[in-house]
Amino acid sequence: MENIIKGRVLKFGDNIDTDIIYPGGYLKERDPKKMAEYAFEGHEKGFSKKIQPGDIIVAGKNFGCGSSREQAATCLKALGIAAIVAKSFSRIYFRNAINQGIAIITCAEEIEKIENHENIEINFETGKIKAKAGVYGFPPLPEHMLSILKDGGLIEHIKKELSAGK
Amino acid sequence: MGMTMAEKILAGKAGLDKVVPGQIVTVEPDFAMSHDNAGLVIKQFKQFGLPNVWAKDKIVIPLDHRTPAESVESANIHKEIREFVKAQNITHFYDIIEGICHQVMVEKGHARPGELVVGTDSHTTTYGAVGCLSTGIGATEMAAIWATGKIWLRVPETLKITVKGKFKKGVYAKDLILHIIGRLTVEGANYKSVEFYGDTIERMSVSERMTLSNLSMEMGAKCALIPFDSVSEDYFKASGLPFDKSKAVYSDPDASYEQTLDIDASALEPQVACPHNVDNVKNISAMPETIVHQALLGSCTNGRLDDIEIAASILKGKKVSKNVRLLVFPASRTVLLQAIEKGYITELIQAGAVVMNPGCGPCLGAHAGLLADGERVISSSNRNFKGRMGSAAAEVYLGSPAMVAASAITGKITDPREFV
């Protein structure tokens, strides 16, 4: 995980549920590249074509509510989403995103002022998001979660632990 | 300061005398459940290169989401799961005959008071109904449990809900929990443990309590616990299930609650959760005329014997509207057998219902019974998200099994009090 992420914003509202991010009809898909094609299919048909690697999702409250389906995080990882910033996350989505190695930022400040497609900068060292309308602070993740992210996700993290004989 | 139920269970599991909300603990679950998504868990587990899973008798795999397989892809996933189960000698595997994972977990005795269960399904919260701390997790962290037996969990804040009074005729546990979600919103219990108290809850059967614990997930709850009592004890005894009463936990009188909510059950009328969020809840009396094309009775929320019984009592001797398809998905084989024995299935089929095999069915839009563009469904299930049951141009309304049955007769969303 880089200390500074810069990218284009994809803006969403409150309560973006897992059926919007990854509809249940595609759960039998197992190849992350195919999953990527269906990302946000419940939001707008073919939306994944509008996503570029390095894009940053900025959303409102309760992002990822609903199902525990990890595909809703895997598909965004496969598309190269650099980070997800939201006012709050549903608890299982929060876990899944970290476990997939997606940088995740809970920011209670006025991020709704951030505009779709503007370029923002996230600095994990200072805990600040720099956008056109202002600078927004966010608290760091607990050390345990940060270490999973730094290893690139839970699989690599556990592999490291297993080889260290923990 | 005393501890809440969730704090006591997590402290016990972590080997600590005391835990506080926000603390992160590493714990070993008593059971780890995965359904069809065990396919994904297996794929991740194989990346660790380990010869064996951590505990073959603590992993539970019931197949329910796409059963019997609706596509070659699902058939291949099921096949791989069966092969893995055989190779690893997994003790608790329930193939497509048994039914919905959450129902099977309780029926087969994998959900027990004072214990900890994790599952790769959000509605794993259901087992709180028998005093078990149960919560949903993702597939990759389940693979990590299969490898190490461990998972980190955050100790949740607790929300105490006290419900007093008798329901009016035609009002059920489903209406109560929809009302609560409407008041607290879809993130009102996010990350939190919910505890239910009051004489209304004490009078409820385990099945009704499961509806509460199950649907608490729709306000974000991590777990939703109901203290183990004589009702739950009778359920375990009648079902021939082993349990250890001494493991049951109870909140201390001086436990700290982040929030409390008091509800008068006698003031409630039937509730409808309108599209496309579960907190968009209305009183039935406030609903405009709403034509439906399908009525769905089933799911882990409301597919049990008492749900089928109430629907059958309403539909007995009547006819499902010719403009409505009534689909019935019993929650499990056990439920279906009991419903056949009691004659409910005959009554439902005579009324015009299509009875399907136990499983998730169209609840998550992955199997049979999907909706077309512009269609509406009244459903006893748990989610009304856009596109949840098929077309993104369809609408899902949630209500009690009685409301589903009444609406199937009239062809529009109907107050069940006219029929009970």
Side-chain angles (χ1 to χ4, degrees):
Chain A
M1 195 178 79
E2 305 289 332
N3 272 333
I4 293 177
I5 294 176
K6 291 179 188 177
R8 183 186 73 150
V9 167
L10 294 173
K11 188 79 185 291
F12 290 93
D14 291 341
N15 301 321
I16 298 298
D17 64 62
T18 48
D19 280 274
I20 291 176
I21 306 170
Y22 196 85
Y26 303 121
L27 289 175
K28 59 195 174 212
E29 196 51 68
R30 287 196 287 179
D31 177 5
K33 284 199 195 85
K34 290 290 282 184
M35 288 179 200
E37 290 176 25
Y38 305 126
F40 287 109
E41 194 75 0
H43 173 65
E44 185 187 313
K45 279 240 175 296
F47 189 81
S48 72
K49 291 191 187 74
K50 297 181 179 175
I51 300 176
Q52 298 167 6
D55 280 353
I56 296 168
I57 289 172
V58 176
K61 291 188 293 185
N62 206 22
F63 187 84
C65 59
S67 162
S68 66
R69 64 186 67 150
E70 196 167 86
Q71 291 89 336
T74 312
C75 68
L76 301 187
K77 176 76 176 174
L79 281 167
I81 290 290
I84 308 173
V85 182
K87 286 221 160 185
S88 63
F89 290 87
S90 82
R91 61 165 285 274
I92 307 178
Y93 195 90
F94 182 85
R95 300 181 70 100
N96 282 340
I98 290 171
N99 290 336
Q100 292 293 308
I102 303 176
I104 197 157
I105 294 132
T106 307
C107 177
E109 297 190 14
E110 290 180 307
I111 52 172
E112 62 274 14
K113 290 186 177 163
I114 297 175
E115 284 171 24
N116 194 32
H117 288 178
E118 75 164 280
N119 287 297
I120 61 170
E121 181 183 302
I122 303 168
N123 188 323
F124 288 93
E125 268 181 346
T126 59
K128 301 275 185 221
I129 301 166
K130 218 188 283 175
K132 246 182 2 197
V135 177
Y136 310 102
F138 62 89
L141 283 173
E143 192 49 47
H144 179 73
M145 298 172 209
L146 218 46
S147 70
I148 296 172
L149 271 183
K150 279 177 182 159
D151 289 340
L154 188 65
I155 294 285
E156 293 309 314
H157 183 75
I158 297 283
K159 273 190 190 169
K160 229 167 96 176
E161 279 190 1
L162 288 172
S163 67
K166 275 191 194 173
Chain B
M1 184 66 78
M3 289 194 283
T4 65
M5 291 175 75
E7 287 161 14
K8 282 193 180 177
I9 293 174
L10 290 174
K13 281 283 162 195
L16 301 168
D17 291 335
K18 168 115 186 119
V19 293
V20 292
Q23 187 174 345
I24 295 199
V25 292
T26 300
V27 288
E28 179 179 357
D30 292 288
F31 285 106
M33 188 281 295
S34 293
H35 45 64
D36 304 38
N37 63 16
L40 201 52
V41 183
I42 291 166
K43 184 182 160 202
Q44 301 294 65
F45 176 76
K46 284 183 173 168
Q47 293 195 55
F48 298 130
L50 295 170
N52 297 113
V53 295
W54 125 89
K56 65 182 175 65
D57 56 346
K58 291 188 175 183
I59 294 171
V60 188
I61 306 179
L63 297 183
D64 63 0
H65 269 49
R66 299 182 302 277
T67 56
E70 88 304 349
S71 64
V72 175
E73 290 92 334
S74 293
N76 280 331
I77 291 169
H78 292 166
K79 183 180 167 208
E80 240 182 68
I81 294 169
R82 290 183 191 109
E83 286 167 356
F84 184 85
V85 161
K86 205 170 167 198
Q88 291 284 332
N89 203 14
I90 305 284
T91 319
H92 306 295
F93 173 63
Y94 301 100
D95 212 320
I96 65 165
I97 61 164
E98 282 303 338
I100 306 177
C101 60
H102 304 307
Q103 184 64 22
V104 171
M105 286 294 284
V106 176
E107 276 177 5
K108 302 293 180 187
H110 304 305
R112 301 187 291 227
E115 295 197 347
L116 172 69
V117 177
V118 293
T120 47
D121 191 277
S122 57
H123 293 109
T124 300
T125 54
T126 308
Y127 332 141
V130 292
C132 172
L133 197 169
S134 54
T135 193
I137 64 169
T140 298
E141 50 191 357
M142 182 58 84
I145 293 175
W146 286 12
T148 67
K150 298 273 191 285
I151 185 167
W152 67 265
L153 291 174
R154 181 183 171 279
V155 178
E157 292 81 11
T158 298
L159 158 60
K160 180 180 185 177
I161 300 178
T162 307
V163 191
K164 291 181 178 164
K166 274 185 87 170
F167 287 132
K168 287 193 189 113
K169 216 173 169 194
V171 179
Y172 305 90
K174 178 65 163 282
D175 300 298
L176 169 64
I177 188 67
L178 286 178
H179 170 78
I180 292 170
I181 297 167
R183 275 174 70 167
L184 293 175
T185 81
V186 287
E187 64 157 7
N190 202 6
Y191 295 99
K192 291 177 197 169
S193 171
V194 179
E195 289 181 11
F196 287 100
Y197 295 96
D199 59 88
T200 316
I201 310 296
E202 286 161 17
R203 277 193 301 274
M204 282 184 183
S205 66
V206 165
S207 172
E208 292 170 286
R209 294 174 183 189
M210 285 170 75
T211 301
L212 300 185
S213 294
N214 173 285
L215 220 58
S216 292
M217 199 287 138
E218 300 311 323
M219 47 184 181
K222 177 178 213 146
C223 52
L225 293 149
I226 297 171
F228 191 82
D229 63 6
S230 60
V231 172
S232 15
E233 192 171 337
D234 288 348
Y235 173 85
F236 275 80
K237 283 180 182 159
S239 314
L241 300 171
F243 66 100
D244 181 355
K245 209 172 152 183
S246 70
K247 281 177 116 177
V249 299
Y250 301 93
S251 277
D252 291 323
D254 59 342
S256 165
Y257 294 99
E258 193 194 57
Q259 192 184 346
T260 58
L261 180 69
D262 294 300
I263 310 259
D264 176 6
S266 69
L268 294 179
E269 63 170 272
Q271 307 284 299
V272 188
C274 300
H276 293 291
N277 280 311
V278 186
D279 60 1
N280 188 13
V281 175
K282 290 191 172 76
N283 283 329
I284 187 77
S285 58
M287 285 291 292
E289 183 175 275
T290 310
I291 301 289
V292 292
H293 308 86
Q294 186 160 299
L296 174 65
L297 176 65
S299 85
C300 53
T301 309
N302 280 119
R304 283 175 283 279
L305 191 65
D306 53 330
D307 303 316
I308 295 173
E309 179 184 15
I310 182 73
S313 74
I314 289 171
L315 281 153
K316 188 180 178 178
K318 300 204 172 61
K319 288 284 172 225
V320 171
S321 160
K322 62 181 187 340
N323 301 319
V324 177
R325 310 173 298 266
L326 171 61
L327 305 184
V328 180
F329 285 81
S332 72
R333 177 168 73 131
T334 306
V335 167
L336 176 56
L337 281 169
Q338 288 168 341
I340 288 171
E341 207 171 286
K342 299 245 182 202
Y344 305 150
I345 297 298
T346 305
E347 287 161 9
L348 289 170
I349 292 174
Q350 280 172 344
V354 178
V355 178
M356 309 288 286
N357 62 303
C360 300
C363 173
L364 72 154
H367 200 247
L370 303 188
L371 298 172
D373 297 346
E375 286 192 330
R376 277 189 216 106
V377 63
I378 176 74
S379 174
S380 72
S381 62
N382 44 57
R383 287 198 179 121
N384 58 359
F385 300 162
K386 191 179 165 199
R388 174 76 180 176
M389 259 187 233
S391 167
E395 289 183 344
V396 181
Y397 292 78
L398 305 176
S400 71
M403 190 182 291
V404 169
S407 306
I409 295 168
T410 61
K412 57 192 181 192
I413 294 179
T414 298
D415 190 336
R417 290 176 296 184
E418 297 162 27
F419 287 85
V420 294

